[in-house]
Amino acid sequence: MKRATDAALTAHSYYEASVVRPLSKGALIGDVEADVAIVGGGFAGLSAAIDLQKRGLRVAVLEAQRIGWGASGRNGGQVIAGLACDMSLIEKQLGATAAKVVWDMSLEAIELVHERRRDFKINCDWQAGFMSAAISARKAQALRENVDSMHARYGYEQTYIDTNEVRHWIASDRFAALAYDQKSGHLHPLKYTLGLARAATQLGASLFENTHATTVTKSAMGYIVHSRDGAVRCKQVLLAGNVYLDQLAPRLRKRIMPVGTYIVASEPLEHNRAQALIPSRAAICDTNFVLDYFRLSADDRVIFGGRVSYTTATPMNLAQSMRQRMLNVFPQLNDVKVTHAWGGFVDITMNRAPDFGRVPEIGSDVYYLQGFSGHGLALTGIAGRIAAEAMAGTSARFDVFAALKHRDFPGGRLLRTPALVAAMSWYKLRDLL
Ligand SMILES: Cc1cc2nc3c(=O)[nH]c(=O)nc-3n(C[C@H](O)[C@H](O)[C@H](O)COP(=O)(O)OP(=O)(O)OC[C@H]3O[C@@H](n4cnc5c(N)ncnc54)[C@H](O)[C@@H]3O)c2cc1C
């Protein structure tokens, strides 16, 4: 992936515009020692850093850009229970008992967001409530079946809202039904990421920005993680680099595909006008394969995400086309300006299940977390926690996830994007049915 393309996508982020970043942590220069080196200063790497430090292990985090530069600082902010894939896939692969363990961890992931906010006083505009939204009668039926099935299989409570009631929950004619989930919610992701970084630092972790980890080699102590101007000598390594790891772990790269997704922020609306759009202020995500996701920010903007790109090129007329998607849902915002447009890449796996494990070709103490498939806000937290557990010697929970089977994307480096585009065209068509 070309970093220049990605840099353009971060330039106009509402999140960056609404935080004051602390002074840069500085790059790694020279050699340092740590128990664990973590590559990646996003939710996953920082969550692991916090738990490892709490367990008495010394951590060094290497971030190629700035903390939260990747997906963690740019996403839709929706903190949602479950995984990107349907739980039936997990049941099929691991059986009902292990699937229940996975589901429970996805709920623990939301609790962990609250724990971190509370313990480290992270003010990140938390708002409870999330709604899945169906755009057709057929999808409404599927949504109802899903609500019933999640209740029957996992005891998970959501409120099904049928066509007659939809208008009480959202000022839009686009949706045929909704499912309201009180446990899930939304937050300002960059404020949360920077809060995690502050917490990790307070606990004693060393964070290095502008430090691109180039290779991991074996040493007498364990491993050396090299960067241009320095190295971390450590006993264990965690790779939490999302789609950006490139040549650091080529095998992992084959199992995920970068898919672009984009967001606009409107200008702030008058408070009552914003409130009338979504009176519960819940985050909303439709159930299409190529989905729209949106919410109100704490300062009464509409944060509207959607579109996908299977090439890493930034779409033409990004702000205008995303504004049009917003107007498809809320035509009454025709007089409202969009002030920010940005985007990022999600790390999708073939089956949309998360991909956690070890990298034996580098070493048995090299772990990785990837494949959140656009559903990583909460899950990255628990992923970091169970990676820390495994590195401290208790791998039972990590190994449940590590047992999930994944396939490489077909087509090799050059062909797999066209293959994915073809597959996605079919899904786009299916969304319209
Ligand atoms: C536009 C967008 C909207 C999204 N919306 C939602 C949402 O609403 N809800 C949800 O649950 N999920 C959402 N997601 C997904 C979610 O943001 C991600 O799953 C999550 O942030 C992944 O966190 P991470 O720590 O794995 O990766 P990242 O946050 O991407 O962090 C990885 C970091 O590793 C660094 N890195 C990589 N390689 C190296 C190297 N060699 N050396 C040093 N550093 C390196 C990168 O610079 C990067 O900062 C969205 C994603 C995007 C892009």
Side-chain angles (χ1 to χ4, degrees):
M1 181 182 311
K2 290 191 203 105
R3 282 183 193 281
T5 312
D6 212 357
L9 282 177
T10 62
H12 305 291
S13 149
Y14 158 69
Y15 300 133
E16 287 287 352
S18 54
V19 299
V20 179
R21 279 184 175 270
L23 286 178
S24 172
K25 312 264 174 246
L28 173 64
I29 296 174
D31 284 12
V32 295
E33 276 195 12
D35 293 308
V36 180
I38 296 178
V39 178
F43 295 142
L46 294 170
S47 174
I50 290 171
D51 274 29
L52 287 162
Q53 283 289 153
K54 280 185 172 175
R55 287 169 175 273
L57 296 167
R58 292 164 309 144
V59 175
V61 178
L62 307 188
E63 166 52 53
Q65 311 275 338
R66 304 288 315 267
I67 294 294
W69 174 87
S72 300
R74 309 186 209 171
N75 58 65
Q78 306 202 353
V79 178
I80 313 169
L83 313 177
C85 64
D86 197 90
M87 285 305 295
S88 57
L89 183 134
I90 310 294
E91 288 165 13
K92 214 158 128 193
Q93 280 209 19
L94 304 182
T97 308
K100 177 76 168 70
V101 172
V102 168
W103 173 256
D104 287 346
M105 279 197 261
S106 95
L107 299 186
E108 186 184 333
I110 297 178
E111 287 310 312
L112 185 56
V113 171
H114 298 315
E115 182 187 312
R116 305 283 201 219
R117 288 195 306 120
R118 193 180 54 239
D119 289 358
F120 302 115
K121 300 191 172 39
I122 304 175
N123 179 1
C124 54
D125 307 335
W126 168 259
Q127 169 67 56
F130 166 75
M131 292 191 278
S132 303
I135 64 156
S136 66
R138 184 180 65 81
K139 284 169 186 281
Q141 178 61 25
L143 184 61
R144 165 154 243 155
E145 284 166 14
N146 186 265
V147 168
D148 292 344
S149 153
M150 288 309 289
H151 185 248
R153 282 143 73 210
Y154 294 96
Y156 196 62
E157 297 279 356
Q158 296 168 86
T159 308
Y160 181 78
I161 298 158
D162 68 20
T163 309
N164 301 329
E165 296 291 314
V166 164
R167 267 293 193 156
H168 297 305
W169 291 80
I170 178 167
S172 173
D173 291 328
R174 184 164 160 78
F175 303 108
L178 303 166
Y180 181 76
D181 169 1
Q182 175 64 30
K183 270 208 168 75
S184 300
H186 57 101
L187 51 66
H188 186 305
L190 185 55
K191 287 185 184 172
Y192 183 60
T193 316
L194 295 177
L196 294 179
R198 194 183 63 235
T201 309
Q202 279 165 3
L203 290 165
S206 304
L207 272 53
F208 300 98
E209 293 183 311
N210 299 309
T211 302
H212 182 233
T214 48
T215 44
V216 180
T217 53
K218 283 198 167 162
S219 72
M221 180 183 172
Y223 302 91
I224 307 175
V225 180
H226 304 265
S227 69
R228 196 189 62 185
D229 298 320
V232 183
R233 295 173 184 282
C234 56
K235 296 177 191 139
Q236 301 184 87
V237 180
L238 174 64
L239 303 178
N242 196 348
V243 296
Y244 305 104
L245 281 178
D246 294 330
Q247 293 313 309
L248 202 61
R251 179 177 67 83
L252 300 185
R253 189 67 178 74
K254 291 183 187 161
R255 293 158 70 123
I256 53 170
M257 187 79 195
V259 172
T261 167
Y262 308 95
I263 307 183
V264 285
S266 75
E267 61 186 323
L269 305 181
E270 191 270 319
H271 177 68
N272 290 339
R273 188 178 184 192
Q275 195 69 25
L277 294 176
I278 312 171
S280 66
R281 298 188 80 89
I284 297 172
C285 187
D286 73 32
T287 60
N288 285 352
F289 196 82
V290 178
L291 44 82
D292 285 335
Y293 49 96
F294 50 96
R295 65 191 183 91
L296 298 172
S297 65
D299 61 350
D300 288 323
R301 295 166 191 266
V302 178
I303 308 286
F304 198 99
R307 279 195 70 149
V308 285
S309 162
Y310 303 101
T311 75
T312 48
T314 302
M316 303 276 281
N317 302 323
L318 179 60
Q320 293 91 323
S321 64
M322 287 303 302
R323 182 172 182 274
Q324 189 50 53
R325 286 184 86 104
M326 177 179 82
L327 295 182
N328 293 345
V329 174
F330 295 122
Q332 64 272 46
L333 298 184
N334 201 20
D335 60 325
V336 172
K337 290 193 191 70
V338 151
T339 54
H340 301 81
W342 69 98
F345 295 94
V346 296
D347 46 346
I348 63 163
T349 55
M350 281 286 280
N351 58 14
R352 309 294 186 271
D355 180 15
F356 308 162
R358 299 169 182 83
V359 196
E361 63 271 27
I362 306 180
S364 56
D365 293 308
V366 180
Y367 293 74
Y368 72 92
L369 302 170
Q370 67 173 16
F372 295 96
S373 302
H375 196 109
L377 211 162
L379 203 64
T380 42
I382 196 75
R385 169 160 284 180
I386 62 178
E389 287 170 7
M391 291 175 132
T394 310
S395 65
R397 300 208 303 166
F398 187 83
D399 289 339
V400 173
F401 276 99
L404 285 167
K405 291 188 186 58
H406 289 277
R407 285 193 292 142
D408 291 354
F409 275 90
R413 209 177 159 72
L414 290 176
L415 285 178
R416 60 199 188 129
T417 297
L420 191 69
V421 171
M424 286 315 192
S425 302
W426 153 246
Y427 281 115
K428 276 188 195 164
L429 190 68
R430 209 184 58 167
D431 281 347
L432 299 174
L433 299 177

